[in-house]
Amino acid sequence: MYTKKYTVRLHDTDAFGVLYFANQFRIIHEAYEEFTDDLGFHLNKLMDQSQYFIPIVHAEASYNHPVMMGDTLKISLNVENISVHSYSITYDILLKKILVGTAKTVHVSTHAYKNKKVPIPKSLRQALEKHL
Amino acid sequence: MYTKKYTVRLHDTDAFGVLYFANQFRIIHEAYEEFTDDLGFHLNKLMDQSQYFIPIVHAEASYNHPVMMGDTLKISLNVENISVHSYSITYDILLKKILVGTAKTVHVSTHAYKNKKVPIPKSLRQALEKHL
Amino acid sequence: MYTKKYTVRLHDTDAFGVLYFANQFRIIHEAYEEFTDDLGFHLNKLMDQSQYFIPIVHAEASYNHPVMMGDTLKISLNVENISVHSYSITYDILLKKILVGTAKTVHVSTHAYKNKKVPIPKSLRQALEKHL
Amino acid sequence: MYTKKYTVRLHDTDAFGVLYFANQFRIIHEAYEEFTDDLGFHLNKLMDQSQYFIPIVHAEASYNHPVMMGDTLKISLNVENISVHSYSITYDILLKKILVGTAKTVHVSTHAYKNKKVPIPKSLRQALEKHL
């Protein structure tokens, strides 16, 4: 499990006074980027010369409780599943002790130029397995 | 069924050169806002004096094909289900004849000040039913 | 002069109930992208093989009046100035007859791989000159 | 002077591979929110019961150097000027030792319900003055 804190900022909110639903996806992806940085697998290395492109093919989220500007969230990230070509990450979002939201993203390893799946890069697989 | 066109703009994309996944949620919500405007039920009327607050409690999306800056998408919106307190909307996103993505949002009618579900406003229910 | 309409959506607003200031920049850039599409100079052609990279080097905006969700804005775009290597665009944002905001962006033509200015592509220059 | 670090994330970038210009405004506003939290003047206290509304009336930024995903920026914030009804903040954005960007925001203290300027709240004025 990997955890990070995030304080909700004005740009995260909307005119109903709460976190705009799509921004919860952006926030959990920030946690995912920090997590992969922490694993030593920087996503920006997938740009340019890389043979890999690992897009999100599915994302989902639930919203249990309003979240406001200034709220400090604790995001817990878990690797839920790893197969040959894909992996999924789950996220719990806590405000104090309340589970205000959950999310899940599914990532598929593909060849950057050819339209086909390829096995997850070995260094990424090894890093992810530590967080299963 | 309600359809709208949307041209992907620079701010929708990311450094991988494609639509950033969370922005697909923002784009389908724009379609939802246009749809409700079209029904004559403007969401901004839910602000201020309204007794209703109708948040999204669940959202999910799939991504089947890369989407680029300048692509003109056709978004088809359907009311999938209406119960006493909630309804769900599904979205198909087409680029030419390719189904590049799908999405779903679930909305729950709640009392704006009390923490409880309330029946969907009658005018909204009647409008939604025409699109079942 | 080029004009487009834009209806303010929920994601444009913040918890103060009004357009979030940075989103005004995003909205005027959408107008700029539509404008260049209309000129026949699609900005996405600057990606990949292009020798040109034409970043914004300066941007500014004023905010005269609150803008709300559902407001339909009329954005008027003018080419203010063209020099050998750069051009500037100004934007007036009207809500009914009220000038709610203004903006300006300054764009510089550079070589995509070498760190130096290059003359604006001829086809873009000719297109822009029609809107001076 | 107040400083904070910010690591550029995927959602900050666009298909040209660099920080999207409007996101620099969002990033400096996050610094401004952290700064005011640090002063003990939480901006969200201006919502709801408050008599004050302190919108940005002008914003500008310059962009000197490309900024990429993964870059860790150091943002230095200074209070440039305080008058009876308004104040301005300037921002320097450094990547290692390179000044990659600058920005400025001008804020005006207004009555939340009446359309008129009011003096800056005393507690905010005193806090800002320490950073002149």
Side-chain angles (χ1 to χ4, degrees), chain A residues 7 9 69, chain D residues 1-5 26-44 75-82 87-91 105 107 120 123-132:
Chain A
T7 299
R9 296 298 174 194
M69 181 183 171
Chain D
M1 197 175 76
Y2 175 85
T3 62
K4 74 158 282 193
K5 293 207 169 186
R26 202 207 73 234
I27 291 167
I28 56 117
H29 200 273
E30 288 191 41
Y32 170 66
E33 290 177 60
E34 278 197 30
F35 166 67
T36 53
D37 282 355
D38 208 62
L39 293 180
F41 192 89
H42 302 282
L43 291 180
N44 51 1
I75 302 162
S76 299
L77 183 158
N78 277 286
V79 179
E80 191 193 52
N81 186 61
I82 313 176
Y87 55 94
S88 55
I89 312 274
T90 58
Y91 310 82
T105 52
H107 306 249
I120 299 167
S123 60
L124 178 58
R125 164 176 295 280
Q126 287 171 344
L128 291 170
E129 279 171 350
K130 292 178 196 152
H131 288 267
L132 263 176

Side-chain angles (χ1 to χ4, degrees), chain B residues 59-114:
Chain B
E60 56 184 89
S62 290
Y63 308 87
N64 308 328
H65 193 274
V67 172
M68 310 285 191
M69 181 183 171
D71 284 348
T72 295
L73 306 173
K74 190 179 133 196
I75 301 162
S76 298
L77 184 158
N78 276 287
V79 179
E80 191 194 51
N81 187 60
I82 313 176
S83 72
V84 177
H85 304 102
S86 75
Y87 56 94
S88 56
I89 312 274
T90 58
Y91 310 82
D92 283 342
I93 304 169
L94 285 141
L95 173 58
K96 288 161 190 167
K97 304 226 166 150
I98 305 165
L99 184 71
V100 295
T102 58
K104 180 179 172 175
T105 51
V106 182
H107 306 249
V108 170
S109 178
T110 66
H111 194 285
Y113 310 113
K114 299 169 195 169

Side-chain angles (χ1 to χ4, degrees), chain A residues 15-16 18 20-23 25-30 33 43-44 46-47 52-53 56-64 66 105, chain B residues 15-16 18 20-23 25-30 33 43-44 46-47 52-53 56-64 66 105:
Chain A
F16 286 111
V18 296
Y20 178 68
F21 86 112
N23 288 337
F25 286 102
R26 202 207 74 234
I27 290 167
I28 57 116
H29 200 273
E30 289 190 40
E33 291 177 60
L43 292 180
N44 52 0
L46 294 176
M47 291 168 191
Y52 292 98
F53 178 52
I56 290 172
V57 294
H58 184 77
E60 56 184 86
S62 291
Y63 307 87
N64 308 329
T105 51
Chain B
F16 286 112
V18 297
Y20 178 68
F21 87 112
N23 288 337
F25 286 102
R26 202 207 73 234
I27 291 167
I28 56 118
H29 200 274
E30 289 190 41
E33 291 178 58
L43 291 180
N44 52 0
L46 293 176
M47 291 170 192
Y52 292 97
F53 178 52
I56 289 172
V57 293
H58 184 77
E60 56 184 89
S62 290
Y63 308 87
N64 308 328
T105 51

Side-chain angles (χ1 to χ4, degrees), chain C residues 2 4-7 11 16 19 37 41 46 63 65 69 72 86 89 91 98 104 108-109 116 132:
Chain C
Y2 175 84
K4 76 158 280 195
K5 294 206 169 187
Y6 180 82
T7 300
H11 68 87
F16 286 112
L19 176 64
D37 283 354
F41 192 88
L46 292 176
Y63 308 87
H65 193 274
M69 181 182 170
T72 295
S86 75
I89 312 275
Y91 310 82
I98 305 164
K104 181 179 171 175
V108 170
S109 178
K116 61 169 188 178
L132 262 176

Side-chain angles (χ1 to χ4, degrees), chain A:
Chain A
M1 197 175 75
Y2 175 85
T3 61
K4 75 158 283 192
K5 294 206 170 186
Y6 180 83
T7 299
V8 175
R9 296 298 174 194
L10 184 57
H11 67 87
D12 293 314
T13 63
D14 65 31
F16 286 111
V18 296
L19 176 65
Y20 178 68
F21 86 112
N23 288 337
Q24 183 169 305
F25 286 102
R26 202 207 74 234
I27 290 167
I28 57 116
H29 200 273
E30 289 190 40
Y32 170 66
E33 291 177 60
E34 278 198 30
F35 166 67
T36 54
D37 282 355
D38 209 61
L39 293 180
F41 192 88
H42 301 282
L43 292 180
N44 52 0
K45 286 186 185 156
L46 294 176
M47 291 168 191
D48 307 322
Q49 275 69 28
S50 171
Q51 302 253 305
Y52 292 98
F53 178 52
I54 311 183
I56 290 172
V57 294
H58 184 77
E60 56 184 86
S62 291
Y63 307 87
N64 308 329
H65 193 273
V67 172
M68 310 285 191
M69 181 183 171
D71 284 348
T72 295
L73 306 174
K74 190 179 132 197
I75 301 162
S76 299
L77 183 158
N78 277 286
V79 179
E80 191 193 53
N81 186 61
I82 313 177
S83 71
V84 177
H85 303 101
S86 74
Y87 55 93
S88 56
I89 312 274
T90 57
Y91 310 82
D92 283 343
I93 304 170
L94 285 141
L95 173 58
K96 288 162 191 166
K97 304 224 167 152
I98 305 164
L99 184 71
V100 295
T102 59
K104 181 179 172 175
T105 51
V106 182
H107 306 249
V108 170
S109 177
T110 66
H111 195 285
Y113 310 113
K114 300 170 195 168
N115 185 20
K116 62 169 187 178
K117 290 184 189 178
V118 294
I120 299 166
K122 196 178 278 182
S123 60
L124 178 58
R125 165 176 294 280
Q126 288 171 344
L128 290 171
E129 280 171 349
K130 292 178 197 151
H131 288 267
L132 263 176

